Amino acid sequence: MLSTVNLTQRYGKRVLFDKINLTLDVGKRYGLIGANGAGKSTFMKILAGEIEPSEGEVQLQPGLKLGMLSQNQYAFEDFTLKDAVLYGNKKLYDAQKEKEKLYMEGDFESDEVNNRLAELEMICADEDPTYESDVKIEKLLTTLGFPVEQHNDLMSSLTGGDKFKILLAQVLFLKPDVLLLDEPTNNLDMETIAWLEEELKRHEGTLVVISHDRHFLNGVVTHILDLDFQTIREFTGNYDEWYIAANLMAKQAEADRNKALKEKEELEKFIARFSANASKAKQATSRQKQLDKLDVGEIKLSSRRDPSIMFRPHRDIGNEVLEVKEISKSYGDEKVLENISFKVNKGDKIALIGANGVGKTTLLEILMGNLEPDSGSYNWGQTVTTSYFPQNTTDIVTGDVELPQWIQGFDAKWHIDDIRKTLGRMLFSGEEQKKKVDACSGGEKHRVMMSKMMMDSANFLVMDEPNNHLDLEAIVSLGEALHNYQGGAIVVSHDRELIDAFANRIIKLNEDGTMIDFEGNYEEFVEKYGKH
């Protein structure tokens, strides 16, 4: 059991949350939600003991193990994959490594060495009573897509997404009583996300997870912790159930306030009319007392704000959209794409899916002219104008300029007033628009790129993981925008709710180089081919 007592966190005058008193129970799986910047990750780090709160404390029941998903993908570069996972249980890791060293270098005639070996053996037995840690690590790594022959490779040999999978294996290997996961689905493909859902449903302790993937939250959590109004409210149920309840509560609060305001107005009118009339003075005094007691509660402004994403093509798209013919691409000896062919028709909104590393980003980079294929060709129709959201948007949105000037740099003809309005739609207020691009967070940079794409007025959108760094409200808005968009689109995403919102065609790149091209939505695709 984990609990917080009067937990408060402030930075200068800004209060993230104030006097949070929560008890997180065994067997419950909590989804921690809230707008970007509300303090979710900060709250999680305080629970994990990584940062000190301004006031209050966290109480963890003695004897319980707490594990938090690490966000530092480069912390274990010199570790083998196996050792990086084993490090999840540092006590066991340290004991095993010291034991190995003593067996290699120790003087077995020494009582001190033999006593220490006995102590280490006891620690290993306590932490791994069935002596199956190697088997468990091997199973975890294999399930996550790392074959046995790779388990002794160094972490430095992996891509960022694969390093993240190892960090996930690391915290799951510990089997902590309290498991804290901040954005565990980032960098994971759909297959791995589905596996993680099942793993977490079997977690027997307490789970707190932050995620912007609604489908994942709905599948995993039993309770919602809603961080808003500088406090945390607990709801029973998953994300969709919270959404309905929270909207009902907001509407009820507004209705109660409107009723109280109307009553206040009537009382004030009565008092104004009759307070000077001797025969009515008593009634007026009585009404004044009623008025004094009347509580017209303020409607607190939620930290959640819904962006208004809208892509408007400047011209209709013709019948010739895009033809891809036998595109192949290798990196060294590794074939990524092999003879990929498909034709995009007018009205197609394609979700491009597949496991990490199968070449989805490579294909988009080729189609956008940023990468040469080894062989094959592609041809865009003459009426097509494209707008691109690259996967490395946070690296591209840079500069020592204010947000409007950064966007205007793409087309001097764009009027600054229109740019400001577009940034406003993406929740950048007047003052926030003066911020330098380099000072923006990952989520803010993604919203700046969305603003630029809205200014493009293109009739075909190419997007690679646009939902990364966006909060739930922004992802919902993006789904609606893609659904209503009158042009065509190819979008790479692992967010199933987003794909459900817009896709009328699914293209899946398989690891063996083959491709599934399915006309229909994702739900129909799953019915035919199973979960991917």
Side-chain angles (χ1 to χ4, degrees):
M1 188 192 290
L2 181 72
S3 55
T4 66
V5 181
N6 292 328
L7 209 60
T8 299
Q9 187 66 18
R10 65 175 77 85
Y11 294 104
K13 289 181 182 174
R14 186 173 174 233
V15 178
L16 282 183
F17 39 83
D18 186 39
K19 291 186 171 55
I20 304 293
N21 291 287
L22 274 179
T23 297
L24 304 177
D25 296 320
V26 177
K28 291 181 180 176
R29 302 188 295 274
Y30 299 90
L32 178 59
I33 63 170
N36 279 351
K40 302 184 297 294
S41 292
T42 302
F43 183 74
M44 195 81 106
K45 284 174 181 169
I46 291 172
L47 291 184
E50 290 185 6
I51 58 178
E52 284 291 315
S54 303
E55 290 171 26
E57 62 174 345
V58 175
Q59 296 175 344
L60 178 66
Q61 191 176 316
L64 294 189
K65 281 192 288 191
L66 183 144
M68 180 165 175
L69 174 63
S70 170
Q71 298 293 321
N72 185 356
Q73 297 173 6
Y74 300 98
F76 300 94
E77 293 294 89
D78 297 329
F79 283 63
T80 64
L81 308 195
K82 274 166 62 176
D83 279 352
V85 176
L86 178 63
Y87 194 84
N89 186 337
K90 191 166 184 306
K91 207 170 174 183
L92 179 61
Y93 173 87
D94 288 343
Q96 281 196 13
K97 292 300 165 189
E98 190 183 342
K99 198 169 75 167
E100 284 169 19
K101 193 176 179 192
L102 283 175
Y103 275 122
M104 292 282 288
E105 304 169 5
D107 174 9
F108 296 113
E109 301 296 319
S110 160
D111 287 344
E112 191 182 339
V113 168
N114 288 317
N115 288 340
R116 183 58 184 155
L117 279 169
E119 285 170 15
L120 292 170
E121 203 62 61
M122 290 290 289
I123 293 169
C124 290
D126 285 344
E127 295 299 317
D128 182 24
T130 57
Y131 290 91
E132 288 183 326
S133 61
D134 282 353
V135 176
K136 287 172 186 172
I137 290 169
E138 189 175 297
K139 189 180 175 187
L140 261 176
L141 287 171
T142 309
T143 307
L144 284 167
F146 301 100
V148 174
E149 56 271 21
Q150 203 180 345
H151 294 183
N152 286 309
D153 290 356
L154 291 180
M155 285 284 283
S156 55
S157 68
L158 300 182
T159 62
D162 280 346
K163 287 185 209 289
F164 190 81
K165 282 185 182 180
I166 301 295
L167 296 183
L168 193 55
Q170 187 184 75
V171 74
L172 292 174
F173 170 70
L174 177 62
K175 285 201 175 299
D177 304 290
V178 178
L179 177 56
L180 307 176
L181 302 176
D182 189 350
E183 294 290 359
T185 59
N186 278 3
N187 303 303
L188 299 184
D189 52 46
M190 286 174 159
E191 203 173 321
T192 313
I193 293 170
W195 167 81
L196 180 60
E197 275 183 28
E198 295 307 314
E199 281 291 301
L200 296 180
K201 281 181 200 170
R202 289 196 290 270
H203 181 70
E204 292 174 358
T206 306
L207 169 70
V208 184
V209 60
I210 297 171
S211 178
H212 292 147
D213 184 329
R214 286 170 292 160
H215 193 285
F216 176 76
L217 283 177
N218 283 332
V220 168
V221 307
T222 59
H223 292 71
I224 292 288
L225 300 174
D226 180 18
L227 176 48
D228 201 2
F229 307 117
Q230 298 176 349
T231 190
I232 292 180
R233 293 185 296 178
E234 184 180 335
F235 291 81
T236 301
N238 63 20
Y239 178 79
D240 282 351
E241 288 160 341
W242 163 83
Y243 187 80
I244 293 163
N247 278 305
L248 282 172
M249 284 170 66
K251 281 177 184 166
Q252 186 59 52
E254 194 171 355
D256 290 347
R257 185 172 183 272
N258 289 339
K259 185 180 172 186
L261 281 171
K262 192 176 177 188
E263 194 179 334
K264 179 174 181 273
E265 191 183 343
E266 286 170 359
L267 287 169
E268 283 171 341
K269 279 181 187 171
F270 185 91
I271 292 161
R273 277 172 62 203
F274 296 115
S275 56
N277 184 327
S279 63
K280 298 277 187 180
K282 199 173 179 183
Q283 279 177 277
T285 305
S286 170
R287 297 291 168 93
Q288 183 62 55
K289 284 179 182 171
Q290 273 180 268
L291 183 60
D292 293 340
K293 285 180 187 172
L294 191 61
D295 177 25
V296 181
E298 62 169 325
I299 298 286
K300 288 184 183 175
L301 284 176
S302 172
S303 55
R304 283 190 181 81
R305 296 181 293 163
D306 295 347
S308 177
I309 304 173
M310 195 177 290
F311 303 112
R312 287 196 179 117
H314 66 103
R315 63 175 289 183
D316 283 344
I317 207 164
N319 290 323
E320 300 293 320
V321 181
L322 171 66
E323 187 161 11
V324 176
K325 288 183 181 173
E326 297 186 341
I327 280 184
S328 295
K329 181 70 181 174
S330 297
Y331 295 107
D333 295 334
E334 188 187 351
K335 272 188 180 172
V336 180
L337 299 171
E338 189 168 10
N339 296 327
I340 297 296
S341 300
F342 59 91
K343 189 174 181 181
V344 179
N345 306 307
K346 186 175 181 176
D348 278 351
K349 293 178 186 174
I350 298 166
L352 182 62
I353 66 171
N356 287 340
V358 294
K360 303 184 296 294
T361 294
T362 298
L363 179 58
L364 295 194
E365 285 286 300
I366 289 169
L367 296 180
M368 294 312 296
N370 299 331
L371 201 59
E372 282 291 318
D374 296 337
S375 60
S377 64
Y378 63 93
N379 186 51
W380 289 98
Q382 287 189 336
T383 62
V384 178
T385 55
T386 60
S387 185
Y388 184 36
F389 189 104
Q391 192 179 71
N392 63 335
T393 282
T394 46
D395 300 327
I396 288 170
V397 182
T398 56
D400 188 31
V401 292
E402 293 178 4
L403 309 190
Q405 283 68 41
W406 186 85
I407 292 174
Q408 199 171 38
F410 289 90
D411 192 336
K413 295 194 210 74
W414 287 344
H415 198 284
I416 201 76
D417 286 349
D418 293 331
I419 294 173
R420 289 192 187 284
K421 282 177 194 164
T422 304
L423 283 164
R425 296 178 81 95
M426 289 309 299
L427 307 180
F428 291 104
S429 65
E431 276 303 306
E432 286 171 321
Q433 292 186 17
K434 292 177 183 174
K435 195 172 188 174
K436 295 287 176 75
V437 176
D438 280 342
C440 288
S441 67
E444 287 170 332
K445 287 184 174 187
H446 275 219
R447 287 190 278 126
V448 169
M449 184 60 90
M450 291 282 176
S451 304
K452 182 259 174 190
M453 290 182 76
M454 285 195 270
M455 290 300 299
D456 279 334
S457 302
N459 55 23
F460 199 95
L461 304 176
V462 180
M463 305 179 102
D464 194 353
E465 302 273 15
N467 47 288
N468 279 359
H469 296 290
L470 295 182
D471 59 23
L472 283 153
E473 286 70 33
I475 295 169
V476 170
S477 181
L478 175 60
E480 288 171 0
L482 289 170
H483 175 77
N484 295 326
Y485 179 54
Q486 296 302 301
I490 297 178
V491 181
V492 171
S493 178
H494 299 306
D495 188 309
R496 289 153 291 183
E497 297 278 345
L498 178 62
I499 290 170
D500 279 340
F502 78 89
N504 56 21
R505 182 174 170 187
I506 310 292
I507 292 180
K508 178 172 186 277
L509 300 181
N510 294 319
E511 289 176 87
D512 62 1
T514 59
M515 186 182 92
I516 298 171
D517 188 351
F518 179 77
E519 299 272 350
N521 62 32
Y522 185 68
E523 209 171 293
E524 293 163 339
F525 174 85
V526 170
E527 274 178 32
K528 184 165 182 181
Y529 295 102
K531 281 188 180 181
H532 287 264

